[in-house]
Short mmCIF file of all heavy atoms in Angstrom, two decimals:
data_model
loop_
_atom_site.label_atom_id
_atom_site.label_comp_id
_atom_site.label_asym_id
_atom_site.label_seq_id
_atom_site.Cartn_x
_atom_site.Cartn_y
_atom_site.Cartn_z
N MET A 1 142.17 120.09 60.72
CA MET A 1 142.65 119.23 61.84
C MET A 1 143.48 118.11 61.26
O MET A 1 144.49 117.81 61.86
CB MET A 1 141.42 118.70 62.59
CG MET A 1 141.92 117.78 63.60
SD MET A 1 141.44 117.90 65.22
CE MET A 1 139.87 117.29 65.43
N ALA A 2 143.13 117.57 60.13
CA ALA A 2 143.88 116.47 59.53
C ALA A 2 145.29 116.92 59.14
O ALA A 2 146.26 116.18 59.18
CB ALA A 2 143.19 115.78 58.43
N VAL A 3 145.36 118.31 58.83
CA VAL A 3 146.70 118.82 58.32
C VAL A 3 147.68 118.75 59.44
O VAL A 3 148.87 118.47 59.22
CB VAL A 3 146.43 120.23 57.86
CG1 VAL A 3 147.75 120.97 57.50
CG2 VAL A 3 145.50 120.28 56.69
N ARG A 4 147.32 118.82 60.79
CA ARG A 4 148.25 118.76 61.87
C ARG A 4 148.73 117.41 61.97
O ARG A 4 149.84 117.04 62.47
CB ARG A 4 147.57 119.15 63.07
CG ARG A 4 147.38 120.59 63.36
CD ARG A 4 146.70 120.79 64.62
NE ARG A 4 146.75 122.23 65.07
CZ ARG A 4 146.15 122.63 66.09
NH1 ARG A 4 145.43 121.76 66.93
NH2 ARG A 4 146.21 123.82 66.48
N TRP A 5 147.77 116.41 61.80
CA TRP A 5 148.15 114.99 62.16
C TRP A 5 148.91 114.29 61.12
O TRP A 5 149.78 113.40 61.40
CB TRP A 5 146.80 114.25 62.46
CG TRP A 5 146.20 114.59 63.77
CD1 TRP A 5 145.19 115.44 63.94
CD2 TRP A 5 146.72 114.11 65.05
NE1 TRP A 5 144.98 115.59 65.34
CE2 TRP A 5 145.83 114.75 65.92
CE3 TRP A 5 147.67 113.37 65.49
CZ2 TRP A 5 146.03 114.57 67.31
CZ3 TRP A 5 147.87 113.12 66.87
CH2 TRP A 5 147.04 113.71 67.75
N VAL A 6 148.81 114.70 59.91
CA VAL A 6 149.58 114.10 58.76
C VAL A 6 151.10 114.11 59.04
O VAL A 6 151.73 113.09 59.01
CB VAL A 6 149.12 114.57 57.44
CG1 VAL A 6 149.99 114.07 56.37
CG2 VAL A 6 147.65 114.19 57.21
N PRO A 7 151.68 115.24 59.23
CA PRO A 7 153.10 115.31 59.41
C PRO A 7 153.50 114.52 60.72
O PRO A 7 154.60 113.79 60.70
CB PRO A 7 153.49 116.77 59.62
CG PRO A 7 152.27 117.49 59.10
CD PRO A 7 151.11 116.68 59.19
N ALA A 8 152.73 114.68 61.75
CA ALA A 8 153.09 113.85 62.94
C ALA A 8 153.04 112.30 62.68
O ALA A 8 153.92 111.57 63.24
CB ALA A 8 152.06 114.23 64.06
N LEU A 9 152.07 111.83 61.94
CA LEU A 9 151.98 110.42 61.69
C LEU A 9 153.10 109.99 60.76
O LEU A 9 153.61 108.87 60.91
CB LEU A 9 150.63 110.09 61.03
CG LEU A 9 149.40 110.23 61.96
CD1 LEU A 9 148.11 110.01 61.25
CD2 LEU A 9 149.58 109.14 63.07
N VAL A 10 153.55 110.82 59.80
CA VAL A 10 154.68 110.45 58.89
C VAL A 10 155.89 110.38 59.77
O VAL A 10 156.66 109.46 59.51
CB VAL A 10 154.76 111.56 57.82
CG1 VAL A 10 155.99 111.43 57.04
CG2 VAL A 10 153.66 111.50 56.78
N VAL A 11 156.15 111.37 60.59
CA VAL A 11 157.35 111.26 61.35
C VAL A 11 157.34 110.10 62.41
O VAL A 11 158.35 109.38 62.49
CB VAL A 11 157.57 112.59 62.21
CG1 VAL A 11 158.66 112.49 63.22
CG2 VAL A 11 157.86 113.79 61.27
N ALA A 12 156.27 109.75 62.89
CA ALA A 12 156.12 108.65 63.74
C ALA A 12 156.34 107.31 63.00
O ALA A 12 157.03 106.40 63.58
CB ALA A 12 154.75 108.63 64.46
N ALA A 13 155.76 107.27 61.81
CA ALA A 13 156.05 106.14 61.01
C ALA A 13 157.50 105.91 60.62
O ALA A 13 158.05 104.83 60.62
CB ALA A 13 155.20 106.16 59.71
N LEU A 14 158.23 106.98 60.29
CA LEU A 14 159.63 106.96 59.97
C LEU A 14 160.49 106.55 61.18
O LEU A 14 161.43 105.78 61.07
CB LEU A 14 160.09 108.29 59.41
CG LEU A 14 159.64 108.68 58.07
CD1 LEU A 14 160.06 110.12 57.65
CD2 LEU A 14 160.24 107.66 57.00
N TRP A 15 160.11 107.05 62.42
CA TRP A 15 160.68 106.62 63.61
C TRP A 15 160.57 105.17 63.95
O TRP A 15 161.53 104.53 64.20
CB TRP A 15 160.25 107.48 64.82
CG TRP A 15 160.99 107.31 66.03
CD1 TRP A 15 162.20 107.85 66.36
CD2 TRP A 15 160.63 106.34 67.09
NE1 TRP A 15 162.54 107.30 67.53
CE2 TRP A 15 161.62 106.47 68.07
CE3 TRP A 15 159.56 105.59 67.37
CZ2 TRP A 15 161.65 105.73 69.18
CZ3 TRP A 15 159.47 104.87 68.60
CH2 TRP A 15 160.53 104.89 69.43
N TRP A 16 159.32 104.73 63.81
CA TRP A 16 159.15 103.25 64.02
C TRP A 16 159.93 102.41 62.99
O TRP A 16 160.43 101.33 63.26
CB TRP A 16 157.60 102.89 64.05
CG TRP A 16 157.10 103.18 65.42
CD1 TRP A 16 156.21 104.10 65.72
CD2 TRP A 16 157.34 102.41 66.58
NE1 TRP A 16 155.94 104.05 67.09
CE2 TRP A 16 156.61 102.97 67.60
CE3 TRP A 16 158.14 101.31 66.82
CZ2 TRP A 16 156.64 102.55 68.89
CZ3 TRP A 16 158.18 100.86 68.12
CH2 TRP A 16 157.41 101.46 69.17
N TRP A 17 159.96 102.86 61.68
CA TRP A 17 160.67 102.16 60.72
C TRP A 17 162.13 102.10 61.04
O TRP A 17 162.76 100.99 60.97
CB TRP A 17 160.45 102.87 59.37
CG TRP A 17 161.40 102.32 58.22
CD1 TRP A 17 161.33 101.31 57.51
CD2 TRP A 17 162.66 102.96 57.92
NE1 TRP A 17 162.32 101.17 56.63
CE2 TRP A 17 163.24 102.16 56.87
CE3 TRP A 17 163.40 104.15 58.25
CZ2 TRP A 17 164.50 102.46 56.23
CZ3 TRP A 17 164.58 104.44 57.60
CH2 TRP A 17 165.11 103.64 56.65
N ALA A 18 162.72 103.16 61.53
CA ALA A 18 164.14 103.25 61.97
C ALA A 18 164.39 102.30 63.19
O ALA A 18 165.36 101.61 63.23
CB ALA A 18 164.53 104.61 62.35
N VAL A 19 163.44 102.36 64.12
CA VAL A 19 163.57 101.46 65.31
C VAL A 19 163.52 99.98 64.89
O VAL A 19 164.36 99.19 65.33
CB VAL A 19 162.44 101.72 66.31
CG1 VAL A 19 162.40 100.63 67.36
CG2 VAL A 19 162.68 103.11 67.00
N LEU A 20 162.58 99.60 64.08
CA LEU A 20 162.56 98.19 63.59
C LEU A 20 163.67 97.75 62.85
O LEU A 20 164.25 96.72 62.97
CB LEU A 20 161.16 97.97 62.80
CG LEU A 20 159.93 98.08 63.66
CD1 LEU A 20 158.74 97.98 62.77
CD2 LEU A 20 159.93 96.96 64.72
N ARG A 21 164.21 98.65 61.92
CA ARG A 21 165.49 98.36 61.24
C ARG A 21 166.68 98.17 62.11
O ARG A 21 167.46 97.22 61.94
CB ARG A 21 165.75 99.51 60.19
CG ARG A 21 165.36 99.07 58.71
CD ARG A 21 165.83 100.16 57.80
NE ARG A 21 167.25 100.17 57.52
CZ ARG A 21 167.78 99.44 56.57
NH1 ARG A 21 167.12 98.67 55.86
NH2 ARG A 21 169.06 99.65 56.31
N LEU A 22 166.68 99.02 63.17
CA LEU A 22 167.82 98.95 64.04
C LEU A 22 167.71 97.63 64.93
O LEU A 22 168.77 97.01 65.23
CB LEU A 22 167.73 100.11 65.05
CG LEU A 22 169.07 100.50 65.78
CD1 LEU A 22 170.18 100.78 64.82
CD2 LEU A 22 168.82 101.70 66.71
N VAL A 23 166.48 97.20 65.20
CA VAL A 23 166.41 96.03 66.07
C VAL A 23 166.55 94.69 65.16
O VAL A 23 167.09 93.76 65.65
CB VAL A 23 165.03 95.97 66.77
CG1 VAL A 23 164.66 94.73 67.40
CG2 VAL A 23 164.98 97.14 67.80
N LEU A 24 165.91 94.76 64.07
CA LEU A 24 165.81 93.46 63.31
C LEU A 24 167.01 93.24 62.38
O LEU A 24 167.51 92.10 62.25
CB LEU A 24 164.61 93.55 62.33
CG LEU A 24 163.24 93.56 63.13
CD1 LEU A 24 162.11 93.75 62.15
CD2 LEU A 24 163.04 92.34 63.97
N VAL A 25 167.63 94.31 61.84
CA VAL A 25 168.88 94.12 61.01
C VAL A 25 169.86 95.17 61.46
O VAL A 25 170.15 96.11 60.62
CB VAL A 25 168.52 94.22 59.46
CG1 VAL A 25 167.86 92.91 59.01
CG2 VAL A 25 167.71 95.37 59.21
N PRO A 26 170.49 94.95 62.51
CA PRO A 26 171.42 96.00 63.04
C PRO A 26 172.75 96.13 62.14
O PRO A 26 173.31 97.14 62.14
CB PRO A 26 171.79 95.55 64.48
CG PRO A 26 171.34 94.11 64.50
CD PRO A 26 170.32 93.92 63.47
N GLY A 27 173.01 95.05 61.51
CA GLY A 27 174.25 95.19 60.67
C GLY A 27 174.07 95.98 59.36
O GLY A 27 175.07 96.47 58.73
N GLN A 28 172.81 96.22 59.05
CA GLN A 28 172.56 96.96 57.77
C GLN A 28 172.05 98.40 58.01
O GLN A 28 171.69 99.14 57.09
CB GLN A 28 171.51 96.22 56.88
CG GLN A 28 172.02 94.85 56.40
CD GLN A 28 170.95 94.26 55.58
OE1 GLN A 28 169.82 94.55 55.54
NE2 GLN A 28 171.30 93.11 55.01
N THR A 29 171.98 98.79 59.29
CA THR A 29 171.51 100.11 59.55
C THR A 29 172.69 101.09 59.56
O THR A 29 173.82 100.66 59.80
CB THR A 29 170.82 100.12 60.89
OG1 THR A 29 171.69 99.70 61.92
CG2 THR A 29 169.52 99.39 60.93
N GLY A 30 172.42 102.36 59.35
CA GLY A 30 173.45 103.29 59.22
C GLY A 30 173.22 104.38 60.32
O GLY A 30 172.46 104.32 61.23
N PHE A 31 173.96 105.49 60.02
CA PHE A 31 174.03 106.65 60.92
C PHE A 31 172.62 107.27 60.96
O PHE A 31 172.10 107.73 62.01
CB PHE A 31 174.99 107.63 60.48
CG PHE A 31 174.98 108.92 61.29
CD1 PHE A 31 175.39 108.96 62.54
CD2 PHE A 31 174.42 110.03 60.83
CE1 PHE A 31 175.46 110.12 63.34
CE2 PHE A 31 174.28 111.18 61.54
CZ PHE A 31 174.89 111.24 62.79
N VAL A 32 171.93 107.40 59.91
CA VAL A 32 170.60 108.01 59.80
C VAL A 32 169.53 107.37 60.72
O VAL A 32 168.87 108.06 61.45
CB VAL A 32 170.11 108.08 58.37
CG1 VAL A 32 168.66 108.70 58.29
CG2 VAL A 32 170.97 108.97 57.54
N GLU A 33 169.45 106.00 60.71
CA GLU A 33 168.52 105.33 61.38
C GLU A 33 168.84 105.50 62.97
O GLU A 33 167.98 105.79 63.82
CB GLU A 33 168.52 103.84 61.20
CG GLU A 33 167.85 103.47 59.82
CD GLU A 33 168.79 103.47 58.62
OE1 GLU A 33 169.95 103.87 58.91
OE2 GLU A 33 168.35 103.03 57.61
N GLY A 34 170.13 105.34 63.27
CA GLY A 34 170.50 105.55 64.69
C GLY A 34 170.21 106.93 65.22
O GLY A 34 169.75 107.14 66.30
N ALA A 35 170.54 107.95 64.35
CA ALA A 35 170.25 109.30 64.80
C ALA A 35 168.77 109.60 64.85
O ALA A 35 168.40 110.32 65.84
CB ALA A 35 170.84 110.30 63.69
N MET A 36 168.00 109.04 64.00
CA MET A 36 166.57 109.25 64.10
C MET A 36 165.95 108.54 65.36
O MET A 36 165.19 109.20 66.11
CB MET A 36 165.84 108.67 62.86
CG MET A 36 164.34 108.89 62.84
SD MET A 36 163.61 108.39 61.29
CE MET A 36 163.83 109.76 60.38
N VAL A 37 166.42 107.35 65.71
CA VAL A 37 165.92 106.71 66.86
C VAL A 37 166.39 107.42 68.16
O VAL A 37 165.54 107.63 69.00
CB VAL A 37 166.50 105.29 66.94
CG1 VAL A 37 166.19 104.60 68.27
CG2 VAL A 37 165.80 104.45 65.83
N ALA A 38 167.65 107.85 68.21
CA ALA A 38 168.10 108.64 69.34
C ALA A 38 167.41 110.02 69.44
O ALA A 38 167.01 110.44 70.65
CB ALA A 38 169.63 108.84 69.28
N GLY A 39 167.20 110.66 68.42
CA GLY A 39 166.56 111.93 68.38
C GLY A 39 165.09 111.83 68.91
O GLY A 39 164.61 112.62 69.68
N GLY A 40 164.34 110.84 68.38
CA GLY A 40 163.04 110.60 68.85
C GLY A 40 162.86 110.26 70.25
O GLY A 40 162.01 110.71 70.99
N TRP A 41 163.88 109.45 70.74
CA TRP A 41 163.87 109.11 72.14
C TRP A 41 164.11 110.34 72.97
O TRP A 41 163.52 110.58 74.04
CB TRP A 41 164.89 108.00 72.43
CG TRP A 41 164.96 107.69 73.92
CD1 TRP A 41 164.09 106.84 74.48
CD2 TRP A 41 165.83 108.12 74.88
NE1 TRP A 41 164.44 106.74 75.81
CE2 TRP A 41 165.56 107.57 76.05
CE3 TRP A 41 167.02 108.98 74.77
CZ2 TRP A 41 166.31 107.76 77.23
CZ3 TRP A 41 167.67 109.12 75.81
CH2 TRP A 41 167.36 108.58 77.02
N GLY A 42 165.09 111.10 72.53
CA GLY A 42 165.39 112.39 73.37
C GLY A 42 164.17 113.34 73.38
O GLY A 42 163.98 113.91 74.28
N LEU A 43 163.53 113.51 72.21
CA LEU A 43 162.35 114.42 72.28
C LEU A 43 161.24 113.95 73.05
O LEU A 43 160.46 114.65 73.66
CB LEU A 43 161.83 114.53 70.76
CG LEU A 43 162.61 115.41 69.82
CD1 LEU A 43 162.03 115.32 68.42
CD2 LEU A 43 162.65 116.78 70.34
N SER A 44 161.10 112.57 73.28
CA SER A 44 160.05 112.00 74.14
C SER A 44 160.27 112.40 75.56
O SER A 44 159.36 112.41 76.38
CB SER A 44 160.02 110.49 73.97
OG SER A 44 161.06 109.87 74.59
N LEU A 45 161.53 112.73 75.98
CA LEU A 45 161.77 113.09 77.35
C LEU A 45 161.47 114.56 77.60
O LEU A 45 161.30 114.97 78.79
CB LEU A 45 163.29 112.86 77.64
CG LEU A 45 163.70 111.46 77.68
CD1 LEU A 45 165.29 111.45 77.90
CD2 LEU A 45 163.05 110.59 78.56
N LEU A 46 161.40 115.47 76.58
CA LEU A 46 161.19 116.83 76.87
C LEU A 46 159.89 117.14 77.62
O LEU A 46 160.07 117.97 78.57
CB LEU A 46 161.23 117.58 75.52
CG LEU A 46 162.61 117.82 74.90
CD1 LEU A 46 162.45 118.57 73.58
CD2 LEU A 46 163.50 118.66 75.89
N PRO A 47 158.83 116.61 77.23
CA PRO A 47 157.58 117.11 78.03
C PRO A 47 157.64 116.79 79.47
O PRO A 47 157.03 117.43 80.25
CB PRO A 47 156.45 116.38 77.33
CG PRO A 47 156.91 116.14 75.99
CD PRO A 47 158.43 115.90 76.13
N VAL A 48 158.39 115.77 79.87
CA VAL A 48 158.45 115.35 81.30
C VAL A 48 159.42 116.20 82.05
O VAL A 48 159.16 116.64 83.19
CB VAL A 48 158.98 113.86 81.40
CG1 VAL A 48 159.16 113.42 82.75
CG2 VAL A 48 157.96 112.99 80.61
N HIS A 49 160.56 116.66 81.46
CA HIS A 49 161.54 117.35 82.14
C HIS A 49 161.59 118.86 81.89
O HIS A 49 162.40 119.51 82.63
CB HIS A 49 162.89 116.73 81.86
CG HIS A 49 163.02 115.36 82.14
ND1 HIS A 49 163.09 114.92 83.53
CD2 HIS A 49 162.95 114.12 81.56
CE1 HIS A 49 163.13 113.52 83.64
NE2 HIS A 49 163.07 113.12 82.35
N VAL A 50 160.85 119.47 81.03
CA VAL A 50 160.99 120.81 80.61
C VAL A 50 159.60 121.43 80.90
O VAL A 50 158.55 121.02 80.44
CB VAL A 50 161.32 121.00 79.16
CG1 VAL A 50 161.36 122.46 78.75
CG2 VAL A 50 162.70 120.39 78.89
N ALA A 51 159.62 122.48 81.68
CA ALA A 51 158.45 123.33 81.95
C ALA A 51 158.86 124.72 81.86
O ALA A 51 159.93 125.23 82.15
CB ALA A 51 157.78 122.98 83.29
N SER A 52 157.95 125.60 81.28
CA SER A 52 158.26 126.95 81.26
C SER A 52 158.30 127.57 82.64
O SER A 52 157.72 127.08 83.55
CB SER A 52 157.15 127.66 80.44
OG SER A 52 155.97 127.72 81.03
N VAL A 53 158.91 128.73 82.68
CA VAL A 53 159.14 129.35 84.06
C VAL A 53 157.80 129.79 84.59
O VAL A 53 157.49 129.64 85.75
CB VAL A 53 160.04 130.55 84.00
CG1 VAL A 53 160.20 131.29 85.25
CG2 VAL A 53 161.42 130.10 83.51
N SER A 54 156.94 130.25 83.69
CA SER A 54 155.66 130.79 84.11
C SER A 54 154.73 129.63 84.67
O SER A 54 154.07 129.74 85.70
CB SER A 54 154.84 131.49 83.04
OG SER A 54 154.59 130.63 81.96
N THR A 55 154.80 128.45 84.09
CA THR A 55 154.07 127.25 84.49
C THR A 55 154.68 126.88 85.94
O THR A 55 153.90 126.56 86.79
CB THR A 55 154.25 126.12 83.55
OG1 THR A 55 153.78 126.52 82.26
CG2 THR A 55 153.42 124.87 83.93
N ALA A 56 155.96 126.84 86.10
CA ALA A 56 156.47 126.38 87.33
C ALA A 56 156.21 127.43 88.45
O ALA A 56 155.87 126.98 89.50
CB ALA A 56 158.08 126.23 87.19
N ARG A 57 156.20 128.66 88.14
CA ARG A 57 155.92 129.63 89.10
C ARG A 57 154.38 129.55 89.49
O ARG A 57 154.06 129.76 90.73
CB ARG A 57 156.25 131.09 88.62
CG ARG A 57 157.67 131.33 88.69
CD ARG A 57 158.06 132.75 88.23
NE ARG A 57 159.46 132.89 88.20
CZ ARG A 57 160.04 133.80 87.51
NH1 ARG A 57 159.35 134.64 86.78
NH2 ARG A 57 161.41 133.85 87.52
N SER A 58 153.53 129.40 88.54
CA SER A 58 152.11 129.37 88.85
C SER A 58 151.79 128.21 89.71
O SER A 58 150.90 128.31 90.59
CB SER A 58 151.31 129.44 87.56
OG SER A 58 151.42 128.30 86.81
N GLY A 59 152.45 127.11 89.43
CA GLY A 59 152.18 125.85 90.25
C GLY A 59 152.64 126.14 91.68
O GLY A 59 152.00 125.68 92.70
N ALA A 60 153.81 126.77 91.95
CA ALA A 60 154.29 127.06 93.26
C ALA A 60 153.35 128.08 93.90
O ALA A 60 153.18 127.94 95.08
CB ALA A 60 155.68 127.58 93.10
N THR A 61 152.86 129.07 93.12
CA THR A 61 151.90 129.98 93.70
C THR A 61 150.70 129.37 94.22
O THR A 61 150.24 129.74 95.32
CB THR A 61 151.69 131.14 92.70
OG1 THR A 61 152.85 131.70 92.21
CG2 THR A 61 150.84 132.24 93.24
N ARG A 62 150.16 128.46 93.45
CA ARG A 62 148.92 127.76 93.84
C ARG A 62 149.20 126.95 95.10
O ARG A 62 148.40 126.96 95.96
CB ARG A 62 148.43 126.88 92.79
CG ARG A 62 147.51 127.64 91.77
CD ARG A 62 146.91 126.67 90.74
NE ARG A 62 147.68 126.82 89.52
CZ ARG A 62 148.22 125.95 88.81
NH1 ARG A 62 148.06 124.77 89.14
NH2 ARG A 62 148.87 126.18 87.70
N ALA A 63 150.34 126.36 95.19
CA ALA A 63 150.67 125.57 96.38
C ALA A 63 150.82 126.37 97.56
O ALA A 63 150.24 126.06 98.73
CB ALA A 63 151.90 124.66 96.13
N SER A 64 151.43 127.55 97.48
CA SER A 64 151.64 128.40 98.69
C SER A 64 150.33 128.99 99.03
O SER A 64 150.00 129.14 100.24
CB SER A 64 152.65 129.50 98.33
OG SER A 64 152.19 130.34 97.27
N ARG A 65 149.45 129.34 98.05
CA ARG A 65 148.07 129.82 98.48
C ARG A 65 147.32 128.81 99.26
O ARG A 65 146.61 129.12 100.21
CB ARG A 65 147.28 130.26 97.19
CG ARG A 65 147.83 131.59 96.69
CD ARG A 65 146.94 131.91 95.48
NE ARG A 65 147.50 133.06 94.76
CZ ARG A 65 147.44 133.20 93.43
NH1 ARG A 65 146.78 132.21 92.77
NH2 ARG A 65 147.95 134.17 92.80
N ARG A 66 147.44 127.51 98.81
CA ARG A 66 146.74 126.44 99.58
C ARG A 66 147.23 126.37 101.00
O ARG A 66 146.47 126.20 101.90
CB ARG A 66 146.86 125.09 98.80
CG ARG A 66 145.78 124.84 97.85
CD ARG A 66 145.96 123.49 97.28
NE ARG A 66 147.18 123.72 96.50
CZ ARG A 66 147.65 122.77 95.67
NH1 ARG A 66 147.20 121.64 95.67
NH2 ARG A 66 148.76 122.97 94.94
N ARG A 67 148.57 126.52 101.15
CA ARG A 67 149.14 126.34 102.50
C ARG A 67 148.59 127.50 103.36
O ARG A 67 148.22 127.30 104.53
CB ARG A 67 150.60 126.34 102.46
CG ARG A 67 151.18 124.98 102.10
CD ARG A 67 152.70 124.93 102.34
NE ARG A 67 153.36 125.84 101.49
CZ ARG A 67 154.00 125.50 100.29
NH1 ARG A 67 153.91 124.24 99.90
NH2 ARG A 67 154.55 126.41 99.60
N ARG A 68 148.54 128.73 102.78
CA ARG A 68 148.10 129.87 103.60
C ARG A 68 146.64 129.69 103.89
O ARG A 68 146.29 130.10 104.99
CB ARG A 68 148.42 131.12 102.83
CG ARG A 68 149.80 131.66 102.96
CD ARG A 68 149.98 133.00 102.36
NE ARG A 68 150.11 132.62 100.91
CZ ARG A 68 150.31 133.51 99.97
NH1 ARG A 68 150.43 134.76 100.30
NH2 ARG A 68 150.34 133.16 98.75
N SER A 69 145.87 129.27 102.99
CA SER A 69 144.43 129.14 103.27
C SER A 69 144.13 128.02 104.28
O SER A 69 143.10 128.06 104.97
CB SER A 69 143.63 128.90 102.00
OG SER A 69 143.90 127.54 101.47
N ASP A 70 145.05 126.99 104.48
CA ASP A 70 144.82 125.95 105.45
C ASP A 70 145.19 126.46 106.80
O ASP A 70 145.13 125.67 107.79
CB ASP A 70 145.61 124.73 105.03
CG ASP A 70 145.06 124.07 103.77
OD1 ASP A 70 143.97 124.29 103.47
OD2 ASP A 70 145.78 123.22 103.22
N GLY A 71 145.68 127.58 106.99
CA GLY A 71 146.16 128.08 108.25
C GLY A 71 147.66 128.01 108.45
O GLY A 71 148.24 128.35 109.42
N GLY A 72 148.41 127.41 107.44
CA GLY A 72 149.87 127.31 107.54
C GLY A 72 150.41 126.43 108.55
O GLY A 72 151.58 126.53 108.86
N SER A 73 149.63 125.54 109.15
CA SER A 73 150.15 124.73 110.19
C SER A 73 150.84 123.49 109.64
O SER A 73 151.61 122.83 110.40
CB SER A 73 149.02 124.28 111.10
OG SER A 73 148.11 123.45 110.30
N GLY A 74 150.81 123.23 108.43
CA GLY A 74 151.45 122.12 107.85
C GLY A 74 150.61 120.84 107.96
O GLY A 74 149.55 120.86 108.63
N PRO A 75 151.22 119.62 107.62
CA PRO A 75 150.52 118.35 107.80
C PRO A 75 150.45 117.97 109.28
O PRO A 75 151.32 118.33 110.09
CB PRO A 75 151.38 117.38 106.96
CG PRO A 75 152.65 118.04 106.75
CD PRO A 75 152.49 119.53 106.90
N SER A 76 149.29 117.40 109.55
CA SER A 76 149.14 116.89 110.95
C SER A 76 149.04 115.39 111.07
O SER A 76 148.91 114.71 110.22
CB SER A 76 147.91 117.52 111.68
OG SER A 76 146.81 117.62 110.68
#
């Protein structure tokens, strides 16, 4: 279990290092720090905006089943 967390913690520590360097000494930061910060921020958006097709379909199927089981009359 620790084997999974070590790389994640290392990447997170490097990302925070880049963020702090970019905020505290912006004149001395380079392309690598900026790319790391932008990439980490971009990756943080993926779980919110990306879902597999099967997940999206199963969610819609559950919702339509609920509507049919309620009688299909809609909200009252």
Side-chain angles (χ1 to χ4, degrees):
M1 173 126 81
V3 175
R4 282 181 169 174
W5 286 100
V6 170
L9 290 175
V10 168
V11 170
L14 287 173
W15 185 79
W16 276 108
W17 170 79
V19 168
L20 289 175
R21 256 183 76 87
L22 199 61
V23 169
L24 297 175
V25 284
Q28 295 179 353
T29 57
F31 175 76
V32 174
E33 287 92 349
M36 182 174 276
V37 169
W41 178 78
L43 284 175
S44 72
L45 296 178
L46 281 177
V48 175
H49 298 289
V50 176
S52 67
V53 174
S54 63
T55 304
R57 285 185 184 154
S58 67
T61 304
R62 274 187 254 128
S64 64
R65 282 186 194 142
R66 266 183 292 185
R67 279 193 295 263
R68 279 186 281 184
S69 68
D70 291 342
S73 62
S76 37

